[in-house]
Short mmCIF file of all heavy atoms in Angstrom, two decimals:
data_model
loop_
_atom_site.label_atom_id
_atom_site.label_comp_id
_atom_site.label_asym_id
_atom_site.label_seq_id
_atom_site.Cartn_x
_atom_site.Cartn_y
_atom_site.Cartn_z
N SER A 11 21.95 176.04 75.63
CA SER A 11 22.32 174.88 74.81
C SER A 11 22.35 173.64 75.71
O SER A 11 22.61 173.70 76.89
CB SER A 11 23.63 175.06 74.11
OG SER A 11 24.67 175.10 75.05
N ALA A 12 22.15 172.47 75.07
CA ALA A 12 22.18 171.18 75.74
C ALA A 12 23.64 170.96 76.22
O ALA A 12 23.88 170.31 77.23
CB ALA A 12 21.75 170.07 74.80
N TYR A 13 24.63 171.42 75.45
CA TYR A 13 26.07 171.25 75.83
C TYR A 13 26.34 171.91 77.16
O TYR A 13 27.08 171.40 77.99
CB TYR A 13 26.98 171.74 74.73
CG TYR A 13 26.79 171.06 73.42
CD1 TYR A 13 26.47 171.73 72.25
CD2 TYR A 13 27.02 169.65 73.36
CE1 TYR A 13 26.32 171.08 71.02
CE2 TYR A 13 26.85 168.99 72.11
CZ TYR A 13 26.53 169.73 70.97
OH TYR A 13 26.38 169.06 69.79
N PHE A 14 25.84 173.14 77.33
CA PHE A 14 26.05 173.94 78.62
C PHE A 14 25.36 173.18 79.76
O PHE A 14 25.94 173.14 80.85
CB PHE A 14 25.55 175.34 78.42
CG PHE A 14 25.76 176.17 79.61
CD1 PHE A 14 27.01 176.76 79.82
CD2 PHE A 14 24.79 176.31 80.57
CE1 PHE A 14 27.19 177.55 80.94
CE2 PHE A 14 24.99 177.10 81.71
CZ PHE A 14 26.23 177.75 81.93
N THR A 15 24.16 172.71 79.54
CA THR A 15 23.40 172.01 80.56
C THR A 15 24.20 170.77 81.03
O THR A 15 24.28 170.51 82.22
CB THR A 15 22.05 171.58 80.04
OG1 THR A 15 21.34 172.77 79.60
CG2 THR A 15 21.20 170.94 81.17
N ASN A 16 24.71 170.02 80.04
CA ASN A 16 25.52 168.81 80.40
C ASN A 16 26.78 169.21 81.19
O ASN A 16 27.18 168.51 82.13
CB ASN A 16 25.83 168.01 79.20
CG ASN A 16 24.63 167.37 78.53
OD1 ASN A 16 23.64 167.14 79.18
ND2 ASN A 16 24.71 167.12 77.23
N ALA A 17 27.41 170.26 80.71
CA ALA A 17 28.63 170.73 81.40
C ALA A 17 28.31 171.19 82.82
O ALA A 17 29.11 170.98 83.76
CB ALA A 17 29.25 171.87 80.60
N LEU A 18 27.14 171.82 82.97
CA LEU A 18 26.75 172.23 84.32
C LEU A 18 26.54 171.08 85.29
O LEU A 18 26.90 171.17 86.45
CB LEU A 18 25.46 173.03 84.23
CG LEU A 18 24.92 173.82 85.41
CD1 LEU A 18 25.94 174.85 85.85
CD2 LEU A 18 23.56 174.49 85.13
N LYS A 19 26.02 169.98 84.79
CA LYS A 19 25.80 168.80 85.59
C LYS A 19 27.19 168.29 86.12
O LYS A 19 27.30 168.01 87.34
CB LYS A 19 25.12 167.72 84.79
CG LYS A 19 23.69 167.92 84.50
CD LYS A 19 23.01 166.68 83.98
CE LYS A 19 23.35 166.44 82.54
NZ LYS A 19 22.58 165.30 81.92
N VAL A 20 28.15 168.12 85.24
CA VAL A 20 29.44 167.56 85.67
C VAL A 20 30.19 168.57 86.52
O VAL A 20 30.93 168.16 87.46
CB VAL A 20 30.28 167.12 84.44
CG1 VAL A 20 30.78 168.23 83.62
CG2 VAL A 20 31.44 166.24 84.92
N THR A 21 29.99 169.89 86.30
CA THR A 21 30.71 170.90 87.08
C THR A 21 30.13 170.82 88.53
O THR A 21 30.94 170.83 89.50
CB THR A 21 30.48 172.23 86.49
OG1 THR A 21 30.97 172.26 85.11
CG2 THR A 21 31.20 173.32 87.30
N ILE A 22 28.82 170.74 88.69
CA ILE A 22 28.19 170.69 90.00
C ILE A 22 28.66 169.40 90.68
O ILE A 22 29.08 169.41 91.91
CB ILE A 22 26.67 170.70 89.87
CG1 ILE A 22 26.20 172.13 89.41
CG2 ILE A 22 26.03 170.36 91.21
CD1 ILE A 22 24.76 172.19 89.06
N ALA A 23 28.60 168.27 90.04
CA ALA A 23 28.99 166.98 90.55
C ALA A 23 30.50 166.98 90.98
O ALA A 23 30.84 166.26 91.94
CB ALA A 23 28.75 165.86 89.55
N ALA A 24 31.31 167.74 90.36
CA ALA A 24 32.77 167.79 90.65
C ALA A 24 33.09 168.80 91.73
O ALA A 24 33.91 168.60 92.60
CB ALA A 24 33.56 168.07 89.43
N VAL A 25 32.43 170.02 91.64
CA VAL A 25 32.82 171.09 92.53
C VAL A 25 32.28 170.91 93.95
O VAL A 25 33.00 171.21 94.95
CB VAL A 25 32.25 172.43 91.94
CG1 VAL A 25 32.38 173.56 92.99
CG2 VAL A 25 33.06 172.81 90.65
N ILE A 26 31.07 170.39 94.10
CA ILE A 26 30.46 170.25 95.46
C ILE A 26 31.37 169.40 96.38
O ILE A 26 31.68 169.80 97.48
CB ILE A 26 29.02 169.68 95.37
CG1 ILE A 26 28.11 170.76 94.83
CG2 ILE A 26 28.54 169.22 96.76
CD1 ILE A 26 26.71 170.28 94.62
N PRO A 27 31.80 168.20 95.93
CA PRO A 27 32.67 167.39 96.80
C PRO A 27 34.00 168.12 97.18
O PRO A 27 34.47 168.00 98.30
CB PRO A 27 32.93 166.13 96.00
CG PRO A 27 31.88 166.07 95.03
CD PRO A 27 31.54 167.46 94.72
N VAL A 28 34.58 168.78 96.15
CA VAL A 28 35.82 169.46 96.40
C VAL A 28 35.64 170.55 97.51
O VAL A 28 36.46 170.73 98.43
CB VAL A 28 36.42 170.04 95.14
CG1 VAL A 28 37.63 170.94 95.43
CG2 VAL A 28 36.84 168.96 94.17
N LEU A 29 34.55 171.35 97.34
CA LEU A 29 34.38 172.46 98.32
C LEU A 29 34.05 171.95 99.71
O LEU A 29 34.57 172.43 100.70
CB LEU A 29 33.13 173.35 97.80
CG LEU A 29 33.40 174.14 96.52
CD1 LEU A 29 32.16 174.95 96.14
CD2 LEU A 29 34.60 175.10 96.69
N LEU A 30 33.21 170.91 99.78
CA LEU A 30 32.82 170.38 101.04
C LEU A 30 34.06 169.76 101.78
O LEU A 30 34.29 170.04 102.95
CB LEU A 30 31.74 169.26 100.87
CG LEU A 30 30.31 169.76 100.61
CD1 LEU A 30 29.41 168.55 100.41
CD2 LEU A 30 29.83 170.54 101.87
N PHE A 31 34.77 168.92 101.07
CA PHE A 31 35.91 168.23 101.74
C PHE A 31 37.06 169.18 101.93
O PHE A 31 37.88 168.92 102.93
CB PHE A 31 36.31 167.00 100.93
CG PHE A 31 35.40 165.82 101.18
CD1 PHE A 31 34.35 165.57 100.30
CD2 PHE A 31 35.58 164.98 102.27
CE1 PHE A 31 33.49 164.48 100.50
CE2 PHE A 31 34.72 163.90 102.42
CZ PHE A 31 33.65 163.65 101.54
N THR A 32 37.25 170.17 101.17
CA THR A 32 38.24 171.16 101.41
C THR A 32 37.92 171.95 102.69
O THR A 32 38.80 172.21 103.55
CB THR A 32 38.36 172.19 100.23
OG1 THR A 32 38.72 171.42 99.08
CG2 THR A 32 39.43 173.21 100.53
N PHE A 33 36.61 172.24 102.85
CA PHE A 33 36.16 172.94 104.11
C PHE A 33 36.44 172.05 105.29
O PHE A 33 36.72 172.56 106.42
CB PHE A 33 34.67 173.18 103.96
CG PHE A 33 34.05 173.85 105.16
CD1 PHE A 33 34.32 175.21 105.44
CD2 PHE A 33 33.27 173.18 106.07
CE1 PHE A 33 33.75 175.84 106.49
CE2 PHE A 33 32.73 173.77 107.19
CZ PHE A 33 32.95 175.12 107.41
N TRP A 34 36.31 170.69 105.17
CA TRP A 34 36.56 169.79 106.24
C TRP A 34 38.06 169.40 106.37
O TRP A 34 38.44 168.52 107.15
CB TRP A 34 35.72 168.53 106.13
CG TRP A 34 34.27 168.82 106.28
CD1 TRP A 34 33.66 169.76 107.02
CD2 TRP A 34 33.18 168.13 105.58
NE1 TRP A 34 32.32 169.74 106.93
CE2 TRP A 34 31.97 168.75 106.04
CE3 TRP A 34 33.09 167.06 104.70
CZ2 TRP A 34 30.70 168.35 105.62
CZ3 TRP A 34 31.83 166.72 104.25
CH2 TRP A 34 30.67 167.26 104.72
N GLY A 35 38.90 169.97 105.50
CA GLY A 35 40.34 169.70 105.58
C GLY A 35 40.77 168.43 104.86
O GLY A 35 41.86 167.95 105.15
N ASN A 36 40.00 167.97 103.94
CA ASN A 36 40.36 166.75 103.18
C ASN A 36 40.20 166.95 101.71
O ASN A 36 39.35 166.35 101.02
CB ASN A 36 39.45 165.53 103.63
CG ASN A 36 39.76 165.02 105.00
OD1 ASN A 36 40.88 164.67 105.30
ND2 ASN A 36 38.81 165.11 105.91
N PHE A 37 40.99 167.85 101.13
CA PHE A 37 40.93 168.21 99.71
C PHE A 37 41.07 166.98 98.82
O PHE A 37 40.38 166.83 97.85
CB PHE A 37 41.98 169.26 99.35
CG PHE A 37 42.10 169.51 97.89
CD1 PHE A 37 41.19 170.34 97.21
CD2 PHE A 37 43.07 168.85 97.16
CE1 PHE A 37 41.30 170.52 95.84
CE2 PHE A 37 43.22 169.04 95.81
CZ PHE A 37 42.35 169.90 95.13
N GLU A 38 42.03 166.08 99.20
CA GLU A 38 42.31 164.92 98.33
C GLU A 38 41.10 164.06 98.10
O GLU A 38 40.83 163.46 97.04
CB GLU A 38 43.48 164.16 98.89
CG GLU A 38 44.82 164.81 98.65
CD GLU A 38 45.98 163.94 98.92
OE1 GLU A 38 45.74 162.72 99.17
OE2 GLU A 38 47.14 164.43 98.89
N ILE A 39 40.32 163.84 99.25
CA ILE A 39 39.11 163.02 99.15
C ILE A 39 38.10 163.67 98.19
O ILE A 39 37.55 162.98 97.30
CB ILE A 39 38.46 162.83 100.56
CG1 ILE A 39 39.38 161.92 101.40
CG2 ILE A 39 37.08 162.25 100.44
CD1 ILE A 39 38.93 161.79 102.82
N GLY A 40 37.88 165.01 98.33
CA GLY A 40 36.97 165.67 97.45
C GLY A 40 37.44 165.66 96.04
O GLY A 40 36.60 165.46 95.13
N PHE A 41 38.72 165.80 95.79
CA PHE A 41 39.28 165.81 94.48
C PHE A 41 39.09 164.45 93.79
O PHE A 41 38.80 164.34 92.63
CB PHE A 41 40.72 166.21 94.47
CG PHE A 41 41.32 166.35 93.07
CD1 PHE A 41 41.02 167.49 92.36
CD2 PHE A 41 42.18 165.36 92.62
CE1 PHE A 41 41.57 167.62 91.09
CE2 PHE A 41 42.74 165.55 91.31
CZ PHE A 41 42.41 166.66 90.53
N THR A 42 39.26 163.37 94.57
CA THR A 42 39.12 161.99 94.03
C THR A 42 37.72 161.75 93.58
O THR A 42 37.41 161.15 92.58
CB THR A 42 39.63 160.93 94.97
OG1 THR A 42 40.93 161.26 95.43
CG2 THR A 42 39.57 159.59 94.38
N ILE A 43 36.77 162.18 94.42
CA ILE A 43 35.34 162.07 94.11
C ILE A 43 35.03 162.86 92.82
O ILE A 43 34.27 162.36 91.93
CB ILE A 43 34.46 162.55 95.27
CG1 ILE A 43 34.62 161.64 96.46
CG2 ILE A 43 32.97 162.61 94.84
CD1 ILE A 43 33.94 162.12 97.76
N ALA A 44 35.68 164.04 92.71
CA ALA A 44 35.43 164.88 91.49
C ALA A 44 35.92 164.14 90.28
O ALA A 44 35.32 164.17 89.20
CB ALA A 44 36.12 166.22 91.70
N VAL A 45 37.14 163.49 90.42
CA VAL A 45 37.67 162.72 89.26
C VAL A 45 36.72 161.62 88.82
O VAL A 45 36.45 161.39 87.66
CB VAL A 45 39.06 162.15 89.64
CG1 VAL A 45 39.51 161.14 88.56
CG2 VAL A 45 40.08 163.23 89.79
N GLY A 46 36.08 160.93 89.86
CA GLY A 46 35.05 159.93 89.56
C GLY A 46 33.94 160.47 88.72
O GLY A 46 33.36 159.85 87.82
N ALA A 47 33.51 161.70 89.08
CA ALA A 47 32.38 162.35 88.34
C ALA A 47 32.87 162.70 86.91
O ALA A 47 32.08 162.50 85.96
CB ALA A 47 31.96 163.66 89.12
N PHE A 48 34.08 163.25 86.78
CA PHE A 48 34.59 163.58 85.46
C PHE A 48 34.66 162.31 84.56
O PHE A 48 34.28 162.39 83.38
CB PHE A 48 36.03 164.10 85.58
CG PHE A 48 36.11 165.57 86.10
CD1 PHE A 48 37.13 165.95 86.94
CD2 PHE A 48 35.13 166.48 85.69
CE1 PHE A 48 37.22 167.26 87.38
CE2 PHE A 48 35.26 167.82 86.13
CZ PHE A 48 36.28 168.18 87.02
N LEU A 49 35.11 161.23 85.13
CA LEU A 49 35.23 160.00 84.34
C LEU A 49 33.87 159.39 83.90
O LEU A 49 33.76 158.81 82.91
CB LEU A 49 36.01 158.97 85.12
CG LEU A 49 37.51 159.26 85.33
CD1 LEU A 49 38.16 158.20 86.29
CD2 LEU A 49 38.31 159.36 84.05
N THR A 50 32.87 159.65 84.74
CA THR A 50 31.54 159.02 84.49
C THR A 50 30.81 159.89 83.49
O THR A 50 29.98 159.34 82.68
CB THR A 50 30.77 158.99 85.85
OG1 THR A 50 31.49 158.24 86.74
CG2 THR A 50 29.39 158.28 85.57
N TYR A 51 31.03 161.18 83.45
CA TYR A 51 30.24 162.13 82.64
C TYR A 51 30.11 161.70 81.18
O TYR A 51 29.00 161.76 80.62
CB TYR A 51 30.90 163.52 82.73
CG TYR A 51 30.58 164.47 81.62
CD1 TYR A 51 29.32 165.07 81.54
CD2 TYR A 51 31.54 164.82 80.68
CE1 TYR A 51 28.99 165.91 80.53
CE2 TYR A 51 31.23 165.70 79.66
CZ TYR A 51 29.97 166.24 79.55
OH TYR A 51 29.73 167.13 78.57
N PRO A 52 31.23 161.22 80.48
CA PRO A 52 31.03 160.92 79.05
C PRO A 52 29.97 159.83 78.75
O PRO A 52 29.41 159.77 77.64
CB PRO A 52 32.41 160.43 78.62
CG PRO A 52 33.35 161.04 79.57
CD PRO A 52 32.59 161.06 80.88
N SER A 53 29.73 158.94 79.74
CA SER A 53 28.77 157.80 79.52
C SER A 53 27.31 158.22 79.62
O SER A 53 26.43 157.43 79.31
CB SER A 53 28.98 156.71 80.54
OG SER A 53 28.77 157.15 81.87
N ASP A 54 27.06 159.53 79.98
CA ASP A 54 25.66 160.03 80.17
C ASP A 54 25.24 160.61 78.81
O ASP A 54 25.29 161.80 78.56
CB ASP A 54 25.64 161.09 81.21
CG ASP A 54 24.22 161.54 81.52
OD1 ASP A 54 23.28 160.84 81.08
OD2 ASP A 54 24.07 162.61 82.20
N ILE A 55 24.80 159.70 77.91
CA ILE A 55 24.40 160.18 76.57
C ILE A 55 22.89 160.11 76.45
O ILE A 55 22.15 159.51 77.30
CB ILE A 55 25.07 159.24 75.48
CG1 ILE A 55 24.55 157.83 75.60
CG2 ILE A 55 26.53 159.35 75.55
CD1 ILE A 55 24.96 156.95 74.43
#
Side-chain angles (χ1 to χ4, degrees):
S11 68
Y13 299 121
F14 181 83
T15 304
N16 292 335
L18 189 61
K19 287 191 288 187
V20 69
T21 303
I22 291 171
V25 169
I26 288 177
V28 171
L29 292 179
L30 282 177
F31 282 94
T32 300
F33 179 74
W34 293 329
N36 288 300
F37 170 81
E38 285 192 8
I39 291 177
F41 185 74
T42 306
I43 293 173
V45 170
F48 285 143
L49 293 174
T50 305
Y51 160 73
S53 63
D54 186 14
I55 63 171

